[in-house]
Amino acid sequence: QVQLVESGGGLVQPGGSLRLSCAASGRFFGINRMGWYRQAPGKERELVATITSGGSTNSADSVKGRFTISRDNAKNTVYLQMNSLKPEDTAVYYCNAYVMSSSYSVTDYWGQGTPVTVSS
């Protein structure tokens, strides 16, 4: 079984910064794409940013220039550096990973979510 454990969420003032981390643990062969999604109250879950094992990234227009996704393949960890935070960034942030087993099957895993609140 694979677990994704997120950390780094919390309360921050507008214009502030936070860094989210998500570490994958368990038995697996490798991790393909990793990413962050978020869900605000009353809204659907939306993509924030993704990163492949080779380092190619993709991000939502709403966070371009403010958020940066990165990963440490040796630690099976993905990060989300969030700068210039706005109240509209308030949401529960979920980590996602496409994990490959030793039989080369790929399974989609989700973390439990970490809340981010941007408020003065």
Side-chain angles (χ1 to χ4, degrees), residues 20-39:
L20 306 183
S21 300
C22 171
S25 62
R27 298 184 65 179
F28 50 87
F29 181 76
I31 302 177
N32 296 339
R33 194 183 73 181
M34 302 185 81
W36 291 95
Y37 292 73
R38 66 187 182 186
Q39 187 167 19

Side-chain angles (χ1 to χ4, degrees), residues 13-86:
Q13 292 186 342
S17 298
L18 282 175
R19 188 192 194 208
L20 306 183
S21 300
C22 171
S25 62
R27 298 184 65 179
F28 50 87
F29 181 76
I31 302 177
N32 296 339
R33 194 183 73 181
M34 302 185 81
W36 291 95
Y37 292 73
R38 66 187 182 186
Q39 187 167 19
K43 294 187 177 181
E44 294 187 352
R45 190 173 297 188
E46 64 176 3
L47 167 74
V48 177
T50 62
I51 184 168
T52 68
S53 57
S56 295
T57 63
N58 179 49
S59 61
D61 288 342
S62 60
V63 306
K64 278 185 167 68
R66 300 188 298 123
F67 292 10
T68 302
I69 190 170
S70 61
R71 65 188 281 176
D72 184 332
N73 290 331
K75 295 181 179 180
N76 297 313
T77 299
V78 63
Y79 305 96
L80 185 68
Q81 178 66 45
M82 305 186 293
N83 298 328
S84 302
L85 281 159
K86 304 176 181 180

